[in-house]
Amino acid sequence: MSAVNLTGPVTFELPTGNYPAGIELSLISGLNATNNITFVGLGERENVVLETNDIGRFIKFKDVSHINFENLQIGKDNTEGETVNFLGTNEAINFRNCNFNSDEYTDLFYYGGTDQSGIEYFDGTWNNSEVINSVFKGGNAITFKGTLQVQHNHFINQEPNCYECADQSGVVIGGGVVFVGNTISIAATDFDRGGNALVVSDENYSGKVIVAQNQISTSYGSAVYVQGIDSLLFYNNFLSSSNLQYDPVLYVSETAYLDALFNTVEAVSSDNTIGSVYISNYSEPARVSFINNLIVNNYDGSALEIDL
């Protein structure tokens, strides 16, 4: 759907079945909170499947807003490539009660796994959107890279569903991304389905990353895992992690310029001694600033460990 002028709300009701054509939405005028577009599955969500013969990218967005997807599955099982792709300026793009399927045997982690992410977004904006009660199978859930602003979104009750990729992460952001005022909640049911809530890591993109005023929680793994970023401003975030096995709530490594200010880091419970915050830089960092942060440590591990 492209170059369309919308004058009222539009709902596409999708009965049980497979839809092989994929969906591309771009340059649609007249979209707003009232005049929106909704795709809703009428059966069990795993039985209403959006698929394509292309490698991944079952849904493509460019410069649109107020689009809703509800109660359906995006991608077939074990599909190569990301399932949703964004370009340009997009706002209020909502996924509720959806499955995102890619290759469940892909073991991807630190550097984003862009070829296997459920949602991938380069260069632009994605604001005021929701990804709620959705299940991600294979790779990482959502990857943001490039000169991109991600603000005031809700990534709630994301459930990783991949025993073969225990390091599957909820949201991955790379160099140049501004990540402000978002909520991330990972609902892992056991350690094998854990991974981290937010990963800040990129081997290909340079540029300062800003992570500010976010609420980030996870059941297993680190709330925030940082590795391989040139410069990070980490400001006024609330982090919480429970049932820790091997990872601290906040982990930072190989980041040349780190400014961590006015954050709250809470370890709810754990049976290990890793610590709530662990900062380790083996790449001779130019500066690490850790100022006015509150660490709540509800177990025997160290609250803060810095190894430079």
Side-chain angles (χ1 to χ4, degrees), residues 25 60 70 109 134 156 182 186 236 241 245 288 298 307:
L25 302 169
K60 301 178 184 180
E70 301 177 4
F109 183 30
S134 295
I156 305 298
N182 302 286
I186 304 298
N236 197 26
S241 186
Q245 297 288 321
V288 172
N298 293 323
D307 181 13

Side-chain angles (χ1 to χ4, degrees), residues 2-182:
S2 179
V4 173
N5 181 26
L6 204 68
T7 59
V10 176
T11 299
F12 295 92
E13 295 183 340
L14 306 178
T16 296
N18 288 23
Y19 297 85
I23 296 173
E24 184 168 351
L25 302 169
S26 63
L27 303 174
I28 301 173
S29 60
L31 284 165
N32 54 46
T34 301
N35 296 346
N36 54 41
I37 297 175
T38 300
F39 297 85
V40 57
L42 299 182
E44 298 292 332
R45 61 181 173 178
E46 62 269 20
N47 296 325
V48 183
V49 182
L50 304 181
E51 58 181 61
T52 179
N53 292 325
D54 192 8
I55 297 179
R57 298 181 180 178
F58 302 96
I59 301 176
K60 301 178 184 180
F61 296 98
K62 183 178 181 181
D63 298 320
V64 293
S65 68
H66 299 92
I67 309 292
N68 305 306
F69 292 85
E70 301 177 4
N71 199 52
L72 46 79
Q73 177 172 303
I74 304 167
K76 297 180 293 185
D77 288 346
N78 303 326
T79 298
E80 180 182 356
E82 72 276 2
T83 54
V84 180
N85 181 253
F86 286 86
L87 291 170
T89 299
N90 302 275
E91 184 166 345
I93 309 296
N94 303 312
F95 297 89
R96 302 184 182 95
N97 302 316
C98 292
N99 291 348
F100 295 81
N101 278 19
S102 57
D103 186 355
E104 66 174 316
Y105 299 105
T106 302
D107 185 14
L108 297 166
F109 183 30
Y110 299 140
Y111 292 114
T114 58
D115 290 336
Q116 297 296 339
S117 297
I119 298 174
E120 180 183 74
Y121 201 160
F122 286 86
D123 296 336
T125 62
W126 189 28
N127 300 332
N128 302 310
S129 301
E130 296 179 338
V131 181
I132 295 180
N133 294 332
S134 295
V135 177
F136 291 84
K137 183 178 182 181
N140 300 301
I142 304 170
T143 298
F144 298 108
K145 288 192 173 184
T147 305
L148 175 63
Q149 294 185 16
V150 184
Q151 302 185 60
H152 308 300
N153 303 287
H154 298 278
F155 310 106
I156 305 298
N157 290 341
Q158 296 177 88
E159 180 185 342
N161 185 15
C162 179
Y163 283 111
E164 288 78 7
C165 15
D167 286 331
Q168 178 185 29
S169 300
V171 177
V172 178
I173 63 176
V177 175
V178 176
F179 195 81
V180 175
N182 302 286

Side-chain angles (χ1 to χ4, degrees), residues 234 236-240 249-250 260-267 276-277 290-297 303-304:
F234 196 76
N236 197 26
N237 299 283
F238 177 82
L239 313 182
S240 177
V249 182
L250 171 62
L261 309 135
F262 301 102
N263 301 285
T264 298
V265 181
E266 181 179 22
S276 293
V277 178
F290 196 82
I291 302 172
N292 286 343
N293 298 283
L294 173 64
I295 302 175
V296 181
N297 196 32
L304 171 63

